[in-house]
Amino acid sequence: MRKIGKRLLGAGLSIAMLGGLLTGCGSTAAASKSASAAAKTSSTAAATATETDNSKIKIGVSIWSSTDVLGSQCKLILDEAAKALGVDVQYVDQGHVSEKVTASVEQLCAAGCQGIIICNSSDTEMTSAIKTCNDNKVYLAQFFRIINKDSSPDIYKAATDSEYYIGAVHENEVENGKKLAQMLLDKGDRDIGLIGWEQGDATWLGRWEGYKEGIDEWNKKNPDDQAKLSEPQYAGTTSDGGAKAADALMQSDPKLDALIPAGGGGDPLQGAIAAVEKAGKTDSIDIVSTDFLPDLGDRLANGSMAGESGGHYCDPLFAFLMVYNAIKGNYKDFGGKFDEIQFPYLYVSSADDYAQYEKYFVDQLPYTDDEIVKMSDMSFDDLANAASKLSIEDAASRAGGENVSVSSAS
């Protein structure tokens, strides 16, 4: 297995990035700002790409939602990449419903896609997805996900043996979970409620492991200052689900002083925040989560959010470029190997932190059309290296902006 490690960077004391969305970042509103900025990117590279026979290339995207907080930002940058490269892109929203996830791959193959990128829910869905792509000779890559080699060895082997499964672009979710738990512990929170989205979701399980590790490590070091983490309430991927889960946790534990809505695209977080505000507990319950909201800067300023990880919406872009290169024949001989890119998270806990992120990831896309086309010509190792360098500092430098203060995070 080829694995590209990652390093952490940050803007300010609490913004960090792992070498390697969304987003966690960006909502429909934020996407509108980025779309306006994206329209100003160079068209030279796109014109060059379109001169090739790329108009016959069609790439499918199987995603939980192309319209929620995280999904809309993913769609924005994928649409920009499709325009820059002169290829077609088709989306299927599957809501992380297992049967819809597997059906989406069949649907995209039937629609004539030569390659598919997928954000599945559980590893088991990949058995069907890989077989469908093998049968139809369609290339496949995961984003925001990776098949767990230890808990799903048979599925991992099927992916490794496949001539059409390329690999995965994902984050270190255990580390992400530990860092978010530490944010709350550093703020003095000791009674933490947990909100998941779908039971068995691979990314959720990784984050949950990290939250628990963070709490356990704290308790071992601080026997006289113990913290506790609740069992999860499940919200699905809706705002209403997030609100109900937060209400249940507040009602069951009057001493609750923190909440972690683990993710699910951003909508469950919005519902949880609304529930805490409605209960009049904004000042007494700290909230951290993954997936940046469009008004995150304001929420960090007014205290309705204590911290966030996100900014990873370029993750699907790199999976898209992997599939594009496979279709073009630039990447080949996938059987017997499992290619992997580990992508960075950003961590913010102040309005100033978020302002730096917003400038280079929301007000404009972090990559221009010219840069996307250049990355499409890279070897896999060079592409993975480009992913590992993405940070606020990197985006600012490429945009010709001011120097951004960046510090490494341990």
Side-chain angles (χ1 to χ4, degrees):
M1 175 175 68
R2 175 166 45 182
K3 182 171 182 179
I4 306 301
K6 58 183 182 179
R7 58 192 174 86
L8 285 170
L9 296 173
L13 292 177
S14 56
I15 191 164
M17 198 172 242
L18 266 166
L21 210 229
L22 68 352
T23 85
C25 52
S27 69
T28 304
S32 298
K33 295 173 71 177
S34 294
S36 175
K40 300 176 184 178
T41 58
S42 171
S43 60
T44 304
T48 301
T50 309
E51 289 173 3
T52 69
D53 205 21
N54 285 1
S55 60
K56 295 182 180 179
I57 292 177
K58 185 176 185 180
I59 298 175
V61 181
S62 172
I63 189 171
W64 73 96
S65 171
S66 60
T67 59
D68 70 0
V69 176
L70 174 56
S72 62
Q73 199 73 0
C74 291
K75 184 177 186 300
L76 182 68
I77 199 161
L78 290 174
D79 285 347
E80 191 65 24
K83 177 172 74 73
L85 298 173
V87 304
D88 193 14
V89 61
Q90 180 171 332
Y91 298 84
V92 175
D93 290 11
Q94 24 84 340
H96 277 167
V97 177
S98 193
E99 57 268 26
K100 292 183 179 180
V101 173
T102 54
S104 69
V105 180
E106 297 171 1
Q107 182 178 339
L108 290 168
C109 286
C113 296
Q114 298 105 313
I116 296 170
I117 65 172
I118 183 171
C119 179
N120 55 293
S121 178
S122 67
D123 284 352
T124 55
E125 295 156 2
M126 293 306 295
T127 301
S128 172
I130 292 167
K131 183 179 186 305
T132 299
C133 287
N134 286 346
D135 292 346
N136 289 276
K137 296 180 170 52
V138 172
Y139 295 104
L140 179 65
Q142 294 174 268
F143 66 99
F144 297 148
R145 297 291 187 270
I146 186 170
I147 299 167
N148 191 305
K149 183 178 182 179
D150 297 323
S151 61
S152 305
D154 292 342
I155 303 172
Y156 187 89
K157 184 177 187 303
T160 303
D161 291 345
S162 171
E163 295 289 342
Y164 291 92
Y165 179 89
I166 306 169
V169 185
H170 69 107
E171 291 74 36
N172 186 329
E173 297 296 355
V174 175
E175 183 173 278
N176 176 38
K178 289 179 69 174
K179 287 186 174 294
L180 289 176
Q182 191 62 50
M183 275 189 190
L184 293 176
L185 295 167
D186 289 345
K187 290 178 178 294
D189 300 312
R190 300 293 182 266
D191 196 341
I192 303 168
L194 181 58
I195 300 175
W197 63 99
E198 299 291 348
Q199 295 188 50
D201 180 277
T203 292
W204 148 246
L205 293 175
R207 291 179 190 171
W208 189 11
E209 181 182 344
Y211 306 140
K212 290 186 287 187
E213 284 189 13
I215 300 297
D216 289 345
E217 288 181 10
W218 172 271
N219 287 339
K220 288 178 182 178
K221 294 177 182 177
N222 301 275
D224 297 325
D225 186 18
Q226 296 287 282
K228 69 175 184 177
L229 180 71
S230 78
E231 288 298 308
Q233 289 282 332
Y234 288 96
T237 57
T238 67
S239 178
D240 184 57
K244 290 179 178 177
D247 281 334
L249 288 165
M250 288 187 290
Q251 290 172 13
S252 65
D253 185 359
K255 295 182 179 180
L256 192 77
D257 59 12
L259 276 176
I260 305 177
D267 285 358
L269 170 59
Q270 291 180 315
I273 292 171
V276 172
E277 290 176 337
K278 185 177 180 180
K281 294 186 175 182
T282 298
D283 292 337
S284 60
I285 295 180
D286 289 327
I287 300 176
V288 299
S289 184
T290 297
D291 297 336
F292 286 171
L293 297 176
D295 58 351
L296 180 56
D298 293 337
R299 293 198 172 280
L300 288 166
N302 66 27
S304 58
M305 285 292 297
E308 187 94 357
S309 62
H312 54 302
Y313 70 87
C314 290
D315 183 313
L317 169 65
F318 283 83
F320 191 89
L321 293 174
M322 288 163 62
V323 167
Y324 170 81
N325 272 286
I327 296 169
K328 295 283 287 183
N330 300 329
Y331 300 169
K332 57 186 65 177
D333 301 326
F334 300 112
K337 65 180 182 179
F338 192 117
D339 285 331
E340 176 183 351
I341 295 177
Q342 209 170 77
F343 211 75
Y345 268 121
L346 295 166
Y347 298 86
V348 302
S349 61
S350 73
D352 288 342
D353 286 348
Y354 184 75
Q356 293 286 0
Y357 165 81
E358 185 175 39
K359 184 172 183 179
Y360 297 106
F361 285 76
V362 178
D363 293 342
Q364 62 189 44
L365 291 176
Y367 293 110
T368 66
D369 286 6
D370 284 323
E371 288 170 329
I372 290 171
V373 171
K374 287 178 182 177
M375 288 192 297
S376 75
D377 288 330
M378 290 180 178
S379 68
F380 177 82
D381 287 341
D382 287 343
L383 184 67
N385 186 50
S388 74
K389 291 179 178 178
L390 183 60
S391 64
I392 291 176
E393 182 183 54
D394 172 63
S397 175
R398 286 185 286 100
E402 62 196 41
N403 291 331
V404 175
S405 176
V406 188
S407 62
S408 296
S410 58

